[in-house]
Amino acid sequence: LAKTTQPISMDSYEGQEVNITCSHNNIATNDYITWYQQFPSQGPRFIIQGYKTKVTNEVASLFIPADRKSSTLSLPRVSLSDTAVYYCLVGDRYTGGFKTIFGAGTRLFVKA
Amino acid sequence: DSGVTQTPKHLITATGQRVTLRCSPRSGDLSVYWYQQSLDQGLQFLIQYYNGEERAKGNILERFSAQQFPDLHSELNLSSLELGDSALYFCASSVASSVTGDTEAFFGQGTRLTVV
């Protein structure tokens, strides 16, 4: 069972780039790395997913080094509305299916 | 809008009672997942169904049960409710039950259960 570790909380200011790193030392060969965002009292929302190297979409970038034991979510020029909890997940291979295990997440607080 | 519909949005009930939470997945999604999130806590995986069959089980209490029907909607049944069962219950759906972990899940807005 792949386990993830990420900082409990981070503070930033509007307009700054925020990098949240997640470690997943036991990642399996076929596992993907996925990040979700959750606002209070709302369901998590998919941000980005990757397997190796770098993935970029309209909201974030995901950097994955060659050993894949960690990954970094990069949020460019954050705004107040990016204040949320960010979860790093690693695809869990499980006989007969897979389950998405959420850790404690990183609580990002963006200040004006 | 994620396309996942959960009803009811809010539910208040007394201890010892039984409730049923309902989830309609996105069109075409075969997998349904249930999660519990207590106040200021992370998401606890409860159970997953794939095309009508139980596929994975997490920290689900024996007082709780779930099923997925032929039309792919799912229900989570909570019985003998206790104060500690008060939480947000989320349902998520995805296209497949992937063994490679590369499937995005879409979450509903949740059902807020309050046990008094």
Side-chain angles (χ1 to χ4, degrees), chain B residues 56-92:
Chain B
K57 218 168 192 177
N59 300 319
I60 187 167
L61 300 173
E62 287 191 9
R63 300 183 286 109
F64 296 179
S65 65
Q67 55 183 326
Q68 186 179 29
F69 295 86
D71 66 353
L72 301 178
H73 91 271
S74 178
E75 293 181 355
L76 178 67
N77 301 297
L78 315 176
S79 62
S80 303
L81 285 167
E82 302 174 359
L83 296 178
D85 297 327
S86 295
L88 263 171
Y89 290 84
F90 289 106
C91 166

Side-chain angles (χ1 to χ4, degrees), chain A residues 4 22 24 27 30-35 46 48-52 55 62-65 68-72 87-91, chain B residues 100-102:
Chain A
T4 61
C22 177
H24 27 78
I27 189 168
N30 289 340
D31 284 346
Y32 280 67
I33 299 154
T34 311
W35 287 79
F46 173 88
I48 198 166
Q49 184 180 75
Y51 183 79
K52 61 180 179 180
V55 179
L62 179 60
F63 299 91
I64 305 169
R68 303 200 327 121
K69 292 183 183 300
S70 66
S71 59
T72 299
Y87 294 96
C88 162
L89 286 81
V90 173
Chain B
T100 63
D102 63 345

Side-chain angles (χ1 to χ4, degrees), chain A residues 30-32 34 36 38 41-44 46 49 87 91-104 107, chain B residues 33 35 37 40-43 45 48 55-57 88 90 96-105 107-109 112:
Chain A
N30 289 340
D31 284 346
Y32 280 67
T34 311
Y36 283 82
Q38 186 182 28
S41 298
Q42 292 188 27
F46 173 88
Q49 184 180 75
Y87 294 96
D92 179 33
R93 298 189 67 180
Y94 183 85
T95 302
F98 96 101
K99 48 189 174 180
T100 301
I101 305 297
F102 287 78
R107 192 174 296 272
Chain B
Y33 308 80
Y35 293 84
Q37 187 170 39
D40 290 333
Q41 299 293 313
L43 288 130
F45 169 73
Q48 177 204 356
R55 187 56 63 97
K57 218 168 192 177
L88 263 171
F90 289 106
S97 179
S98 170
V99 295
T100 63
D102 63 345
T103 300
E104 174 186 350
F107 284 77
Q109 289 302 298
R112 182 175 294 282

Side-chain angles (χ1 to χ4, degrees), chain A residues 3-107:
Chain A
K3 185 177 176 181
T4 61
T5 303
Q6 45 183 132
I8 294 174
S9 65
M10 294 181 68
D11 289 343
S12 182
Y13 289 92
E14 279 190 295
Q16 288 190 333
E17 178 184 75
V18 171
N19 296 309
I20 306 174
T21 297
C22 177
S23 73
H24 27 78
N25 291 320
N26 296 326
I27 189 168
T29 303
N30 289 340
D31 284 346
Y32 280 67
I33 299 154
T34 311
W35 287 79
Y36 283 82
Q37 174 193 56
Q38 186 182 28
F39 297 112
S41 298
Q42 292 188 27
R45 184 175 69 100
F46 173 88
I47 302 175
I48 198 166
Q49 184 180 75
Y51 183 79
K52 61 180 179 180
T53 62
K54 177 184 174 182
V55 179
T56 298
N57 62 22
E58 63 276 8
V59 298
S61 294
L62 179 60
F63 299 91
I64 305 169
D67 66 5
R68 303 200 327 121
K69 292 183 183 300
S70 66
S71 59
T72 299
L73 173 72
S74 180
L75 304 173
R77 298 179 299 280
V78 294
S79 64
L80 296 176
S81 63
D82 292 317
T83 294
V85 179
Y86 293 82
Y87 294 96
C88 162
L89 286 81
V90 173
D92 179 33
R93 298 189 67 180
Y94 183 85
T95 302
F98 96 101
K99 48 189 174 180
T100 301
I101 305 297
F102 287 78
T106 296
R107 192 174 296 272

